Structures are given as C-alpha cells and as structure tokens.
Amino acid sequence: MGYPQLARLIEVMATLRQRCPWDAEQTHTSLVQYLIEETAETVEAIESSDLDHLREELGDLLLQVIFHAEIASERHDGFAI
C-alpha cells in the first residue's frame, strides 16, 4: 500500500476491535448513528466552505468507513478495506 498512514489506521482499527470492549461490540447497525452524525458534519463543513473543518470531518468519516470495513472483514460479509 502506498499510503502508510492509511495502513496504520487500518492496523489501529483491527487492534481496537480486538482490545477495546466498546469497539469490539459494535456492529454495522450500532454505528449508524455515528455515520449519520459524521456525514452531516462533513456536509456542514462543505456548505460553510470551512476547509479546516472539512479536513477534520473527512477524517472522521474515513474512520467510519474503516470501522465498517473491519466489521465486514471479520464477519466475512464479502468485502473489506
């Protein structure tokens, strides 16, 4: 992978799923509220033309994508990051 920071994020998420009780118990369904929240905050940043806020919110949204991909990988849902 040509993006070491992204590879590190994927590793951290896998570790959290193994070692953090809250992260380990999450499912696609239990994370919906956070996905909606982060998406709304990303839209707000775009609409306000606040690039610093957008960068932060895109990072939060990326974390949600990685989280869902890790869950899918563990469950053999047919996709992974």
Side-chain angles (χ1 to χ4, degrees), residues 8-44:
R8 180 70 181 125
L9 176 58
I10 294 165
E11 289 173 14
V12 167
M13 180 52 64
T15 299
L16 288 171
R17 290 284 292 171
Q18 294 171 5
R19 296 185 184 168
C20 175
W22 185 88
D23 287 298
E25 70 183 18
Q26 299 312 304
T27 66
H28 293 302
T29 303
S30 70
L31 292 172
V32 166
Q33 65 185 358
Y34 304 106
L35 182 59
I36 291 169
E37 177 183 320
E38 296 305 342
T39 302
E41 290 173 357
T42 301
V43 170
E44 180 183 295

Side-chain angles (χ1 to χ4, degrees), residues 15-77:
T15 299
L16 288 171
R17 290 284 292 171
Q18 294 171 5
R19 296 185 184 168
C20 175
W22 185 88
D23 287 298
E25 70 183 18
Q26 299 312 304
T27 66
H28 293 302
T29 303
S30 70
L31 292 172
V32 166
Q33 65 185 358
Y34 304 106
L35 182 59
I36 291 169
E37 177 183 320
E38 296 305 342
T39 302
E41 290 173 357
T42 301
V43 170
E44 180 183 295
I46 291 169
E47 290 176 343
S48 68
S49 300
D50 185 337
L51 295 181
D52 290 332
H53 189 207
L54 177 58
R55 180 178 27 249
E56 179 182 330
E57 294 308 330
L58 286 172
D60 293 346
L61 196 55
L62 177 59
L63 180 62
Q64 289 297 309
V65 172
I66 299 296
F67 209 153
H68 283 277
E70 179 62 25
I71 291 168
S73 175
E74 292 168 5
R75 292 175 34 155
H76 308 288
D77 285 345

